[in-house]
Amino acid sequence: MSSPSRARAHPPHSVGYNLAAIGALVALAAIALAYGIDAAGRNASRPAHTVEDATTLTRTIGGRDLDIPLGWFRYAEQRVEGFAKQIDLQLSLPLGTDKANVVVDVTLLPRSRVRSSASLLDGVYLHSFGEAQFDGPPGLIGKPLTGDGGFAGETVWYDAISADPFVAKCAPAVADGASPRCLRTVYLGPGLAAVYAFSADALANWKSFDPEMQALLARIGV
């Protein structure tokens, strides 16, 4: 008599066993997917950190060593260590309408190279004021400049009741729908000054402009 066939010696798995195995695999896949979604959610909730945010360079200007994040530099060629005659930064601060962020171009210079906007108010701008006066942000007076000093079409906005007034000189918008651009120069203690270039939209929050800027620049050692 012939021996039983190999198929009969190893009977196939039952349908129930196969269904149970498939169910177990599906359950494991579901658990793995759940862990993956949870991890992705945790990662998405974390703030994004880039190399530029974490890495700083030390630049020396006006007798001060400043530790500046790479992402703050306006120009790539200034991303080097060592002494500098001028440092150009680009920062974003909540100074616009409804605290919207406004980009401010910041140029750091030795104090001896510039005059502050407050000193220019009495020494230069006052002698070029036109007769008109503009309404603007509460607390600021707007005076047009005549063409005698090369300022034709520009407006000076200033706080008239402060001993150390906020002063900004603004040029007309260069395109339809754009905001005028303003310049403000301040002294940052001994040896250092800053020139701020920004949209006139930030004038609405002029009282918080300097405190916001000082708090941000303090992070780099100013």
Side-chain angles (χ1 to χ4, degrees):
M1 182 180 296
S2 63
S3 63
S5 68
R6 185 177 302 272
R8 291 183 61 189
H10 301 280
H13 296 299
S14 67
V15 173
Y17 178 87
N18 289 336
L19 291 176
I22 292 172
L25 290 174
V26 170
L28 288 173
I31 292 172
L33 179 61
Y35 276 111
I37 292 173
D38 179 64
R42 289 196 303 271
N43 290 335
S45 66
R46 296 170 184 162
H49 296 290
T50 65
V51 172
E52 289 190 344
D53 292 328
T55 305
T56 62
L57 293 175
T58 300
R59 303 301 313 267
T60 302
I61 186 171
R64 302 194 194 184
D65 293 333
L66 307 180
D67 296 319
I68 306 172
L70 287 180
W72 287 27
F73 287 96
R74 199 187 324 168
Y75 304 119
E77 59 267 25
Q78 292 189 3
R79 296 177 176 183
V80 293
E81 299 267 351
F83 289 91
K85 295 181 179 179
Q86 175 176 319
I87 299 174
D88 298 289
L89 310 176
Q90 191 168 76
L91 308 176
S92 182
L93 297 97
L95 296 169
T97 304
D98 296 326
K99 298 296 183 179
N101 283 339
V102 172
V103 173
V104 180
D105 291 334
V106 181
T107 300
L108 300 177
L109 297 160
R111 179 169 173 157
S112 59
R113 290 181 55 187
V114 292
R115 292 181 63 183
S116 71
S117 294
S119 66
L120 289 172
L121 178 63
D122 291 330
V124 177
Y125 299 150
L126 185 64
H127 305 292
S128 298
F129 279 167
E131 295 184 359
Q133 180 169 308
F134 301 140
D135 293 328
L140 292 183
I141 293 175
K143 296 288 290 186
L145 295 171
T146 65
D148 297 342
F151 303 128
E154 299 186 10
T155 302
V156 171
W157 295 95
Y158 65 100
D159 168 21
I161 63 175
S162 174
D164 184 21
F166 177 95
V167 181
K169 180 171 67 71
C170 303
V174 296
D176 292 340
S179 296
R181 293 287 294 174
C182 303
L183 289 176
R184 171 165 169 73
T185 302
V186 300
Y187 294 144
L188 301 173
L192 194 60
V195 179
Y196 304 134
F198 54 94
S199 165
D201 295 339
L203 292 177
N205 293 297
W206 66 272
K207 290 184 178 180
S208 58
F209 187 98
D210 286 342
E212 290 277 0
M213 287 300 313
Q214 290 167 3
L216 197 56
L217 292 176
R219 292 168 52 186
I220 64 173
V222 173

